[in-house]
Amino acid sequence: MHSRALHALLITVTLSFMPAAVRPGVDSPGILASQVSFSSVVPIPASSVAAPGIVHDITTNTAIFADTGAIGIADYLAQKLRTSTGYTLPVRATPGVGGIQLLLTGAPPSVGAQGYQLDVSTDAIVVRANQPAGLFHGVQTLRQLLPVAAEATTVQPGPWPVPGGTIVDQPRFVYRGAMLDVARHFFNVAQVKRYIDQLVLYKVNHLHLHLSDDQGWRIVIDSWPRLATVGGSTAVNRDPGGYYTKAEFSDIVNYAAARFVTIVPEIDMPGHTNAALASYAELNCDGNAPPLYTGTRVGFSSLCVSLPLTYTFVDDVVRELTALTPGPYFHIGGDEASSTTPADYTTFVNRAQGIVAGHGKTVSGWHDVVNADELPSTVLQYWNTSGTNNAVAAAAARGTKVIMSPASKAYLDMKYQNSTRLGLKWAGLIEVQTAYEWDPATFLTGVGEASVLGVEGPLWSETIRTSADIEFMAFPRLPALMELAWSPRSTHSWTGFQQRLGAQGPRWRVMGMNYYQSRQITWPEGS
Ligand code: TNX
């Protein structure tokens, strides 16, 4: 038997992982060998046909050929693979022969703006898409078809086989999101970038940053400097505060954009505003600034709806943040405003929507904003646990789009089990199966497939302080949510997912990530 073909059979190597973090190049080579196949890709592709016995090896001679418009993606892939393979992997303009080809021609129209076709043959690895975003998603699939050692941060011995076949893949929903609460605890630029790098592997294309809350204000606003310097000084439990300068925020936006992730900034209003009210006495109805707050209660603060200065403030904040944010959405929060009267809530949300629209952005908000007069373009983010909400259903019937984040399924800050060290449980315990076993298009009565813009996994950070904490709560539930958001419903299978997800564990190890080793998942031995 040809040694390549033999290798294709032998990549089914029994894994033996050390309980501690893997040290690529130090631990035994077996740690880095793992079984990859078309059936270990998450989210599962819309369609795939394996070519048994066909393998394409990436070798020292492999070049990456890219169409104009795909050079950046080729550089991204080359950089990742150079680190682990040690090969030069030159990036060249098309046309070329063999190697890895990233092409903006020849993809089926059916894959749309975000989908791709991936063909792996003995001759070449070819990714085709109609738009760069599709190529990027195809490259993420390709990463998952390589041995996990390809994710190592030091040079590994190889070989680097990719299983042969064809994948034609496109998303079910256009919006696939994660939310990070940087207000309850602050996460710096490096931590946000690290999370972005982990998210894109599962085809997330929006990162919603919850930039303000009672416990902290996290972005510099030049016309209201004390928001950051005073309001940003605290965090839950008196942990260190922090904020992004405008340059840092732009750095995050650009880093995300280079990975086809749109940043959605949220300034939560009119409730969840104690950090702002504590920074400026004149924003309070009684002219007195409340103390800064480091607890975890919700619903006690409100902007002063009758005060003209409130709208100057909102306009300044929206204008300055909008100038930093190329994406279409501005999230106005709007949740849990229990210290605002219903009439004031409506007045405030209506004016805030007008301000956001006036600055050229589409409003998104927690679904509570349906209690005001939502604009036809406003996107509602549904967070409640109930499968019935007449107001949201009525809005959907009028054409309003909904992002599904039901807390009992999608909240990444809920505990997995009672014994989980991190997290809350007001919306219930969310084991991996619970996160996977629901349908975004049937969860909420009256909000069907056509009304669902997508799915988002919010990670509130009352109990979350480190990157290791973020990873523990997001993995593996975020990939579960992203399979719901990306893969056609016809592919849905818990038993299939248990296997697919298990195959990700070794990859997370090599990437140096923390994750929850759920007993519901078939992890490769020892991982
Ligand atoms: C509810 S649901 C909140 C947040 C909390 C979270 C904790 C919603 C839009 N708001 O203020 O951080 O629960 O799980």
Side-chain angles (χ1 to χ4, degrees), residues 89-380:
L89 294 165
V91 171
R92 303 211 169 108
T94 50
V97 176
I100 300 172
Q101 309 246 348
L102 304 181
L103 308 180
L104 286 163
T105 55
S110 60
V111 303
Q114 295 189 30
Y116 63 92
Q117 177 169 331
L118 171 65
D119 293 285
V120 181
S121 67
T122 319
D123 296 341
I125 296 171
V126 184
V127 191
R128 297 174 183 277
N130 300 311
Q131 298 288 334
L135 277 186
F136 187 77
H137 297 319
V139 161
Q140 301 308 321
T141 298
L142 174 58
R143 278 175 75 187
Q144 291 190 25
L145 291 174
L146 277 156
V148 296
E151 301 295 337
T153 51
T154 55
V155 175
Q156 303 300 312
W160 306 102
V162 179
T166 294
I167 292 177
V168 181
D169 196 15
Q170 70 283 323
R172 178 180 179 191
F173 298 115
V174 294
Y175 186 109
R176 299 172 304 281
M179 187 212 81
L180 185 61
D181 173 7
V182 298
R184 270 52 177 273
H185 279 100
F186 180 65
F187 299 95
N188 65 27
V189 174
Q191 290 172 307
V192 175
K193 287 180 176 177
R194 180 179 167 93
Y195 195 37
I196 290 170
D197 277 330
Q198 296 161 354
L199 296 173
V200 295
L201 191 48
Y202 300 98
K203 301 185 170 73
V204 168
N205 66 350
H206 289 81
L207 176 62
H208 164 185
L209 291 174
H210 184 76
L211 290 167
S212 68
D213 213 301
D214 291 319
Q215 300 88 347
W217 183 284
R218 305 302 181 202
I219 177 75
V220 167
I221 301 295
D222 293 328
S223 52
W224 297 77
R226 287 167 59 83
L227 291 171
T229 57
V230 176
S233 65
T234 44
V236 164
N237 207 22
R238 301 192 182 179
D239 285 325
Y243 57 83
Y244 308 118
T245 64
K246 287 191 170 180
E248 287 174 330
F249 189 77
S250 295
D251 186 19
I252 292 173
V253 166
N254 293 336
Y255 191 87
R259 288 153 184 77
F260 298 87
V261 171
T262 300
I263 297 293
V264 180
E266 178 187 353
I267 297 295
D268 202 348
M269 308 177 278
H272 292 274
T273 43
N274 191 76
L277 296 168
S279 304
Y280 285 97
E282 58 267 43
L283 285 177
N284 295 270
C285 286
D286 63 4
N288 294 320
L292 290 163
Y293 181 69
T294 59
T296 57
R297 275 189 307 126
V298 297
F300 64 88
S301 57
S302 179
L303 291 174
C304 186
V305 174
S306 59
L307 197 66
L309 186 66
T310 295
Y311 304 96
T312 308
F313 165 79
V314 173
D315 190 69
D316 287 340
V317 169
V318 172
R319 176 172 32 78
E320 290 195 33
L321 196 43
T322 289
L324 301 174
T325 312
Y329 301 111
F330 190 104
H331 200 299
I332 61 169
D335 57 315
E336 300 172 325
S338 32
S339 298
T340 318
T341 65
D344 274 0
Y345 184 84
T346 300
T347 303
F348 179 83
V349 168
N350 288 355
R351 286 195 69 172
Q353 288 185 111
I355 290 169
V356 169
H359 287 289
K361 295 295 175 185
T362 302
V363 176
S364 57
W366 299 105
H367 72 265
D368 316 49
V369 305
V370 79
N371 297 319
D373 307 309
E374 89 282 350
L375 297 173
S377 57
T378 293
V379 172
L380 303 176

Side-chain angles (χ1 to χ4, degrees), residues 184 272 298 335-336 366 383 411 413-414 424 426 460 462:
R184 270 52 177 273
H272 292 274
V298 297
D335 57 315
E336 300 172 325
W366 299 105
W383 61 264
Y411 265 30
D413 65 316
M414 292 301 121
L424 308 175
W426 67 264
W460 302 99
E462 286 93 334

